[in-house]
């Protein structure tokens, strides 16, 4: 199932409004976003058997929803106070700066991967076409034109579509906050209207100049899950009630989706395959189909109930014995990955292609699957700790 969180149930509430905005990081946010980062790495390594066990194989939603939802929560913490204290103009400037950072991260990731794929095509034996695997030939064959489209975000190869989606959604944030100052219901209306435009009006952004293909992750659809997380954390909507009835309803939703998602059942029973086809756009990923949203909310509620207040059950997993002592450094690594999600995401997208090359070179045996995945996990953990170290600016600290 997909791991996810919602806002803390202990969030203070104003007397006449919804919950007050959060100003400190919720440990559950770091934990679940860290889990999502590991899953995203697995999902992007070509031919990785672990991809058969990621959440997407067992339900309609997956780690992408977790990542986007948690990004909405993190954005409420990172930018909400600026909007509240410094006003709409300074808040918009702060968000614009973040968009600027993500924009150059997106371009840097594209050129790093394009360079790596070109190098691999030159160095490795014929028969392996790494440029073709990512459909980058349109760029290499007509770089003069595609450079313009790349920099204007009108050339978005499928592998490179999450960061552009994130940028567009971030650009919506000042508008949503302005609407919330008039009435919070306007935010809900705007989110639903954008989602309906994507799902029923065919509104999307162009992904390439030579076809009608739109962005694989349509930001007008995916903003719904982002602003759901944002609204929980900033206090526009309260935490859901703790209810055993709601818990078991959510569990039922999760279990009922499994036959229409798990590949073995789909292959064994035609009725499930026909049912999946009938669901069509309701489980579609591009426009964020409604059943993906329902499934994600159900999974998020179950996870929120299970982890306990502020993740107490996660921290105490394994108890005080050997398992507990093993779990604590593992938990610390997961949370560090969650805290540095942008750096880790960029690194994982690059590393995933190289890990796939290792599989090509050494085969896909049980042993190689083990050590290649462990290598990937170790590398993104290293990136997380490295990014954290650089952000601490240790060169500014006085030498003891």
């Amino acid at each position: 199932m997909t791991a996810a969180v919602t806002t803390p149930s202990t969030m203070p509430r104003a007397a006449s409004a919804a919950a007050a905005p959060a100003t400190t990081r919720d440990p559950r946010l770091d934990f679940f976003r860290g889990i999502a980062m590991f899953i995203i790495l697995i999902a992007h390594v070509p031919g990785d058997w672990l991809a058969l066990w990621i959440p997407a194989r067992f339900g309609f939603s997956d780690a992408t929803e977790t990542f986007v939802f948690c990004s909405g929560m993190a954005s409420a913490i990172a930018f909400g106070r600026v909007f509240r204290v410094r006003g709409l103009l300074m808040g918009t400037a702060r968000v614009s700066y973040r968009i600027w950072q993500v924009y150059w991260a997106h371009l840097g990731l594209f050129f790093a991967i394009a360079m790596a794929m070109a190098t691999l095509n030159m160095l490795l034996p014929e028969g392996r076409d790494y440029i073709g695997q990512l459909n980058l030939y349109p760029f290499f064959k007509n770089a003069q034109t595609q450079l313009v489209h790349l920099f204007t975000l009108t050339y978005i190869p499928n592998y490179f579509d999450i960061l552009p989606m994130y940028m567009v959604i971030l650009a919506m944030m000042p508008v949503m906050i302005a609407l919330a100052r008039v009435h919070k219901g306007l935010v809900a209306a705007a989110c639903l209207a954008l989602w309906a435009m994507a799902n029923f009006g065919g509104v999307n952004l162009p992904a390439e100049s030579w076809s009608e293909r739109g962005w694989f992750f349509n930001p007008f659809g995916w903003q719904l899950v982002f602003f759901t997380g944002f609204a929980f954390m900033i206090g526009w909507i309260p935490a859901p009630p703790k209810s055993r009835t709601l818990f078991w309803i959510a569990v039922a939703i999760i279990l009922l989706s499994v036959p229409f998602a798990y590949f073995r059942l789909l292959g064994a029973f035609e009725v499930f395959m026909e049912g999946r086809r009938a669901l069509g756009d309701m489980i579609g990923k591009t426009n964020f189909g409604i059943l993906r949203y329902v499934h994600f909310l159900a999974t998020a509620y179950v996870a929120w109930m299970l982890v306990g207040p502020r993740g107490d059950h996660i921290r105490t997993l394994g108890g005080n014995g050997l398992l507990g002592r093993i779990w604590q450094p593992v938990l610390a690594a997961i949370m560090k990955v969650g805290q540095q999600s942008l750096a880790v995401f960029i690194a994982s997208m690059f590393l995933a292609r190289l890990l796939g090359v290792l599989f090509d070179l050494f085969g896909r045996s049980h042993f190689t699957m083990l050590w290649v995945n462990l290598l990937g996990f170790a590398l993104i953990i290293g990136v997380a700790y490295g990014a954290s170290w650089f952000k601490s600016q240790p060169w500014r600290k006085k030498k003891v």
Side-chain angles (χ1 to χ4, degrees), residues 117-384:
M117 298 303 100
T119 302
L120 290 169
N121 267 24
M122 289 189 298
L123 296 181
L124 295 183
E126 293 184 6
R128 301 190 189 279
D129 185 3
Y130 294 102
I131 294 175
Q133 284 181 5
L134 290 179
N135 193 27
L136 295 180
Y137 277 113
F139 176 80
F140 283 103
K141 290 179 178 178
N142 191 7
Q144 180 176 347
T145 299
Q146 297 311 324
L147 272 173
V148 175
H149 290 296
L150 178 69
F151 275 73
T152 56
L153 301 181
T154 52
Y155 171 52
I156 308 290
N158 276 349
Y159 193 75
F160 302 92
D161 42 27
I162 292 183
L163 293 182
M165 172 192 70
Y166 182 48
M167 283 185 272
V168 173
I169 295 175
L170 283 178
M172 298 178 188
M173 190 188 302
V175 177
M176 296 299 179
I177 289 179
L179 290 174
R181 292 183 175 183
V182 179
H183 193 282
K184 294 180 180 66
L186 292 176
V187 179
C191 288
L192 291 172
L194 288 170
W195 179 86
M197 288 166 55
N199 281 269
F200 305 113
V203 177
N204 199 348
L205 297 173
E208 54 197 23
S209 58
W210 61 89
S211 78
E212 298 297 319
R213 185 175 69 86
W215 288 16
F216 182 76
F217 288 105
N218 186 342
F220 302 113
W222 279 84
Q223 53 77 31
L224 182 61
V225 70
F226 177 93
F227 285 113
T228 300
F230 187 91
F232 272 125
M233 190 59 81
I234 205 169
W236 291 347
I237 52 179
K242 291 186 175 181
S243 164
R244 286 190 176 183
T245 300
L246 285 178
F247 177 84
W248 289 112
I249 290 174
V251 169
I253 291 172
I254 294 168
L255 294 178
L256 286 172
S257 72
V258 172
F260 303 99
Y262 185 45
F263 69 99
R264 295 192 186 279
L265 291 177
L266 290 173
F269 302 97
E270 182 63 24
V271 63
F272 293 139
M273 182 62 76
E274 291 177 358
R276 183 177 178 85
R277 294 192 193 103
L279 294 175
D281 291 339
M282 290 191 291
I283 60 173
K285 195 164 190 174
T286 291
N287 295 323
F288 190 53
I290 187 62
L291 290 184
R292 296 184 71 91
Y293 189 51
V294 172
H295 181 269
F296 172 76
L297 291 179
T299 312
Y301 186 79
V302 169
W304 179 67
M305 290 283 285
L306 290 178
V307 299
R310 296 195 65 80
D312 291 343
H313 297 165
I314 297 174
R315 290 194 295 270
T316 58
L317 190 67
N320 297 322
L322 177 61
L323 289 178
R325 290 195 295 272
I326 295 173
W327 171 243
Q328 291 308 312
V330 172
L331 175 62
I334 292 171
M335 295 185 69
K336 183 65 69 174
V337 168
Q339 291 164 6
Q340 305 298 331
S341 59
L342 179 59
V344 169
F345 175 80
I346 293 168
S348 67
M349 297 297 282
F350 181 79
L351 290 171
R353 308 313 302 182
L354 301 185
L355 295 175
V357 174
L358 292 179
F359 282 138
D360 291 340
L361 294 176
F362 297 102
R364 285 171 169 79
S365 66
H366 291 297
F367 177 68
T368 56
M369 288 290 175
L370 175 64
W371 72 261
V372 170
N373 278 290
L374 289 176
L375 174 62
F377 295 163
L379 288 172
I380 63 172
I381 291 171
V383 167

